[in-house]
Amino acid sequence: MENELQKLKAEAEEALHAISSKANLEDFRVKFLGRKGLFSSTMKQLGKVSKEDRRRLGQLANSIKKSVEELFRDRKEMLESGDGTVAEAVDLSLPGRALPFAALHPISQVMEEMCAVFEGMGFAVAEGPDVETDHYNFEAVNIPRHHPARDMHDTFYVSESILLRTHTSPMQARIMENQDPPLRYISPGKVYRCDSDITHTPMFHQVEGFLVDRKVSFADLKGVLTSFIHRIFKDDLPIRFRPSFFPFTEPSAELDIACVICGGSGCRVCKRTGWIEILGAGLIDPEVMKMVGYDPDEFSGFAFGLGVERIAMLKYGIDDIRLYYENDLRFLKQF
Ligand code: PHE
């Protein structure tokens, strides 16, 4: 009987080891551990052995059955934790799963790069609110109510006097009214205009910049912007300043760069002109200075506003702005 028990134990262990899928577990249980299984029938023979041996053999039988039951439970747990087969449950050679790497959105990357160039020239960074008052967005930068210049900005109004800022220029007034010159600031952020086509989205990004000190001239503005463009694109990219109008700068200019798509020979992107406009700028209007309490005879300054999407499109040769905001990972992963 003792031999029989040991043999049964070895047999059960071997059978258990051979089980490689969940489906075979039940067969094993019925055959060995079930009511009519091999262990039960062996135990029944205990009745036939001598009294002195019965106790010892009974204990032996019980402990063997227990250990087989334990092994069975372990095997079952292992098979149920994988997809039901031993190979899948524990494949020690499988490499770990790498976590996907996140990266900054291309617009954020370009904005950071732009800010870094200006910071290198000594400009400090200040961010302002997206939800702005009519006062700072328009009045404080010399665009009174009913002034035709308001037409340049298709504005989202929240109420009569609250709106989504249409440019980052309100930050000029916000900073100047709280600090005395000399000032050298850039202000990056989101701006909003009711506009949508392949080169416009209702939300886009600008980087505003301004500098106020004694004896600031248009030459200083040209110097700062020229080095900026050459740092962002390439050292010898042709640029030109073209006269323009903004209510908060006088004189005003727009800066064009040679089309980076066709190299200046004329294409669809530059509308066959060879030039692409990328920013507005000028000397800060004396009216704006007066409104924040500066004496325009003592101080002068320049300001500029750049579209980040425009720069990113030209840098990467992308002609549809909407790609930036469709959250298509195949597009975004390229940056
Ligand atoms: N705020 C102007 C715009 O959004 C750009 C600008 C900024 C022009 C500063 C001149 C000076 O169009």
Side-chain angles (χ1 to χ4, degrees):
M1 167 104 194
E2 189 170 341
N3 271 347
E4 233 175 295
L5 279 169
Q6 296 295 4
K7 240 172 74 193
L8 187 56
K9 181 180 183 223
E11 204 185 319
E13 282 173 357
E14 201 182 322
L16 207 50
H17 205 74
I19 296 180
S20 60
S21 91
K22 262 192 294 199
N24 301 335
L25 281 170
E26 185 58 10
D27 295 345
F28 174 89
R29 199 192 59 78
V30 173
K31 179 170 173 196
F32 287 91
L33 305 168
R35 233 167 357 103
K36 292 179 184 156
L38 292 172
F39 270 103
S40 288
S41 53
T42 310
M43 303 281 238
K44 275 187 198 128
Q45 293 171 33
L46 276 175
K48 291 182 220 149
V49 301
S50 66
K51 238 186 182 153
E52 315 92 84
D53 285 342
R54 195 177 302 157
R55 199 180 144 83
R56 191 177 55 82
L57 288 173
Q59 275 172 356
L60 181 65
N62 269 328
S63 85
I64 288 178
K65 188 175 179 212
K66 238 200 199 136
S67 89
V68 170
E69 276 172 346
E70 223 162 84
L71 287 173
F72 175 78
R73 231 178 296 127
D74 288 351
R75 194 77 178 170
K76 188 170 165 192
E77 224 166 76
M78 186 173 90
L79 289 169
E80 280 172 355
S81 67
D83 74 344
T85 65
V86 173
E88 256 83 11
V90 185
D91 180 354
L92 297 175
S93 67
L94 211 60
R97 283 196 195 112
L99 289 174
F101 262 113
L104 283 181
H105 191 278
I107 295 297
S108 302
Q109 287 181 34
V110 171
M111 192 144 78
E112 282 192 1
E113 195 183 332
M114 291 166 66
C115 289
V117 172
F118 286 118
E119 283 172 275
M121 296 189 229
F123 286 77
V125 181
E127 286 177 284
D130 290 18
V131 181
E132 191 48 284
T133 59
D134 185 278
H135 171 76
Y136 285 112
N137 196 78
F138 291 128
E139 307 271 341
V141 289
N142 204 28
I143 313 177
R145 214 168 268 274
H146 310 304
H147 190 286
R150 288 208 178 192
D151 274 358
M152 288 162 77
H153 301 201
D154 262 325
T155 313
F156 288 113
Y157 282 93
V158 176
S159 70
E160 178 101 3
S161 56
I162 308 284
L163 45 78
L164 299 183
R165 65 177 176 187
T166 58
H167 53 174
T168 39
S169 300
M171 283 305 285
Q172 290 180 35
R174 280 183 175 274
I175 292 170
M176 286 195 279
E177 77 183 6
N178 283 314
Q179 291 178 50
D180 290 327
L183 295 178
R184 212 187 285 195
Y185 271 100
I186 50 168
S187 185
K190 293 183 166 66
V191 300
Y192 306 82
R193 291 186 203 176
C194 190
D195 215 346
S196 187
D197 60 37
I198 72 162
T199 54
H200 298 88
T201 46
M203 182 281 299
F204 59 103
H205 297 78
Q206 286 189 335
V207 172
E208 188 83 8
F210 68 97
L211 181 151
V212 184
D213 205 339
R214 291 185 169 83
K215 298 201 174 90
V216 176
S217 73
F218 207 91
D220 299 315
L221 170 63
K222 284 178 87 169
V224 165
L225 292 178
T226 304
S227 351
F228 168 77
I229 296 298
H230 288 166
R231 283 288 298 282
I232 290 288
F233 293 100
K234 56 179 177 136
D235 270 346
D236 52 356
L237 186 71
I239 60 176
R240 71 175 185 192
F241 286 82
R242 197 168 25 76
S244 185
F245 170 81
F246 298 102
F248 33 89
T249 47
E250 182 57 39
S252 303
E254 280 175 324
L255 190 150
D256 296 340
I257 61 174
C259 179
V260 288
I261 309 288
C262 64
S265 58
C267 68
R268 191 170 66 95
V269 174
C270 60
K271 302 198 182 87
R272 317 252 156 243
T273 63
W275 295 98
I276 296 181
E277 178 231 313
I278 63 160
L279 63 83
L283 294 184
I284 299 174
D285 196 293
E287 281 308 312
V288 175
M289 296 272 203
K290 281 190 222 156
M291 277 189 272
V292 295
Y294 291 180
D295 176 0
D297 292 329
E298 188 180 359
F299 294 108
S300 56
F302 63 71
F304 54 86
L306 288 137
V308 180
E309 279 78 359
R310 176 65 71 87
I311 301 239
M313 287 167 83
L314 295 172
K315 236 174 128 64
Y316 299 126
I318 290 157
D319 61 4
D320 188 342
I321 194 174
R322 293 169 297 197
L323 283 168
Y324 284 118
Y325 297 113
E326 283 169 352
N327 284 336
D328 185 338
L329 287 178
R330 288 168 306 177
F331 172 76
L332 295 174
K333 274 190 175 150
Q334 298 173 58
F335 301 92

